[in-house]
Each structure stands twice: as C-alpha cells, then as structure tokens.
Amino acid sequence: MNQSLQGADPRIRFQGVHIELTESLQAAIYEKFGSLLRHNEHIVAIDVRLQKAQTLGHDALFTASGKITLRGPDLVAHAEGKEGYGVLEAVAAKLDRLLEKRHGLRKEKRNHPHPAEVGGALPKVE
C-alpha cells in the first residue's frame, strides 16, 4: 500500500491487486471515499481493494471491495464491472447507503427506546 498524495487522509488505505494504482486512481479513491469520512466522524479506517481479473480476452473485469471500520460491526461492500472508476464509485455509494442505514437505526433506537422487562416483583423501599 503506497500513499503518496499530498494532504491525503491516512485513514483511507488502498491496495491494487494485478493493477497499478496510478495517481489518478489514487486521487479518485481519496475523492470518493473521503466524502464518507466527512459524513461520519466515528470512522476509524476505510480499506479499499481494487482487483483486475486476469482474463485471456481484451475485456478486463474489475472487482472492488471496501470495508469501513468503526464502533460496532464493520460495514463491507463489493462491486464488479468493466471499468475501474465506475466500480470504485459503486462501492463508495453502497458504503454511503450502509452508513445512512446504520445512522437511522441508531437514531430510531435512541428516539424510541423499548421498555425494560423486569422478571419478578420489585422489592419495597421504605
């Protein structure tokens, strides 16, 4: 994993498998996944992996996966396609939807708590 862009957030880590991550690909990764960091300040790290399938034909298949590490279970998304930039954008969009869903669930739980069920009678306090 090499990260050489100026002003890049160290919480975004990326890896290319069977593909060299050029400066423009790295800039696209920081641009697309950096917006996720602005949406949620509790994100510890974002791991992005772009893989190019080794095919005999001229059309390459790109697979991207992203994992957001934060408190609670990690959020994971995958996408496949014929263009690397489009696949990265699809993964970033999926992770953004997962973050919004998690935020909505936390907000719902906070605004509508369930009553606590107590088994047995409570002792009298005098």
Side-chain angles (χ1 to χ4, degrees), residues 3 29 32 40 64 70 73 82-83 85-86 99 101 115 125:
Q3 299 177 2
I29 289 171
K32 291 174 186 355
N40 191 329
L70 65 165
K82 294 188 177 184
E83 195 215 12
Y85 291 100
L99 276 173
K101 183 178 177 182
V125 178

Side-chain angles (χ1 to χ4, degrees), residues 2 11 14-15 19 27-28 30 37 43 45 53 58 62-63 67 73 82 92-93 95-96 109 119 123-124:
N2 61 4
R11 294 180 289 176
F14 50 84
Q15 178 183 18
I19 186 171
Y30 281 122
L37 293 172
I43 294 176
H58 296 294
F62 291 93
T63 304
K67 180 176 91 169
K82 294 188 177 184
L95 288 172
D96 190 33
K109 202 180 263 189
K124 287 188 173 184

